[in-house]
Amino acid sequence: MSTAEQTAGGEAEPWGEVTPDAARRLLVAAVEAFAERGYHATTTRDIAGRAGMSPAALYIHYKTKEELLHRISRIGHDKALDILRTAAGGEGSAAERLAGAVSSFVRWHAGRRTTARVVQYELDALGPDARAEILALRRQVDAEVRGIIEDGVAAGEFDVTDVKGTTLAVLSLCIDVARWFNIEGPRTPDEVGALYADLVLRMVGAKHPGAARG
């Protein structure tokens, strides 16, 4: 399944915010190339060739290869943050909101696994300014999950002694799905999301993890 075809969480048109069509094709080609070969091993000629365009055409839309990676990373992190903010701001107990956040976050990393691998694991290839921008978004992602866990501890729903460390563990667990998920495997993104929501609720000592998951 190509990057352009992957969907998760009702996201019917991945990269729909990227216009015009030629810029979107180049971005999709870059995602596939970076995921397959790594950022540093990928050339602008590789990207243009995958998009069915000439190398010169790439520079009409993106000044550098790094600009492409920055755009991919920015869109991906914005999406991840939106997923978690929606869950954190929803109704229900802390356990219900944490389960919703984890299941949605995992579904995105499974359903958009090619994109997620680039977004999550090519950060160090960005220059200082772009990297600082993405790190700021990652801190916001961390804050959304940490806030739900803090709410659960304050309400007596969770038994967590190290909120910061637990937040890191939860996010690491979710993000790593992009490394191993296989669309041909035995579980769907929804099923993995439900499994991980249950695991995380047990991790934080939720009183009734099964009920919150349901």
Side-chain angles (χ1 to χ4, degrees):
M1 180 183 292
S2 73
T3 303
E5 293 170 332
Q6 293 172 36
T7 60
E11 191 176 6
E13 188 182 358
W15 310 114
E17 62 270 75
V18 180
T19 57
D21 179 68
R24 186 185 307 110
R25 285 164 51 202
L26 286 163
L27 187 141
V28 169
V31 169
E32 293 172 346
F34 293 158
E36 180 181 314
R37 306 189 61 186
Y39 174 82
H40 293 294
T42 298
T43 67
T44 53
R45 184 176 294 275
D46 293 333
I47 296 168
R50 285 173 182 260
M53 301 166 69
S54 70
L58 185 148
Y59 297 106
I60 296 174
H61 303 283
Y62 303 98
K63 294 178 182 178
T64 63
K65 183 176 72 167
E66 185 195 340
E67 184 179 330
L68 260 169
L69 178 61
H70 180 214
R71 187 80 193 278
I72 293 163
S73 190
R74 177 67 202 228
I75 292 172
H77 279 86
D78 281 341
K79 178 62 180 177
L81 183 56
D82 180 65
I83 287 170
L84 293 175
R85 277 182 173 163
T86 298
E91 298 180 356
S93 66
E96 289 168 334
R97 289 185 288 126
L98 184 59
V102 168
S103 61
S104 297
F105 203 47
V106 166
R107 284 200 307 271
W108 187 79
H109 281 83
R112 299 287 305 280
R113 63 204 174 281
T114 306
T115 298
R117 284 200 299 271
V118 176
V119 167
Q120 300 292 2
Y121 299 114
E122 293 288 354
L123 176 64
D124 288 342
L126 292 171
D129 291 344
R131 189 171 187 274
E133 177 187 319
I134 300 305
L135 285 174
L137 289 172
R138 289 171 86 99
R139 286 192 290 271
Q140 293 178 58
V141 165
D142 181 278
E144 293 297 334
V145 175
R146 187 173 66 250
I148 302 174
I149 296 174
E150 287 172 344
D151 288 347
V153 171
E157 292 184 52
F158 300 158
D159 181 14
V160 176
T161 56
D162 183 349
V163 172
K164 183 178 180 180
T166 301
T167 299
L168 176 60
V170 170
L171 287 171
S172 298
L173 187 69
C174 296
I175 288 169
D176 197 58
V177 170
R179 285 187 184 272
W180 62 261
F181 184 80
N182 183 351
I183 196 66
E184 303 297 332
R187 296 181 189 268
T188 67
D190 284 345
E191 290 170 339
V192 177
L195 171 64
Y196 274 48
D198 185 71
L199 292 173
V200 167
L201 290 177
R202 296 177 189 279
M203 182 189 298
V204 299
K207 304 305 181 184
H208 303 290
R213 179 196 61 200

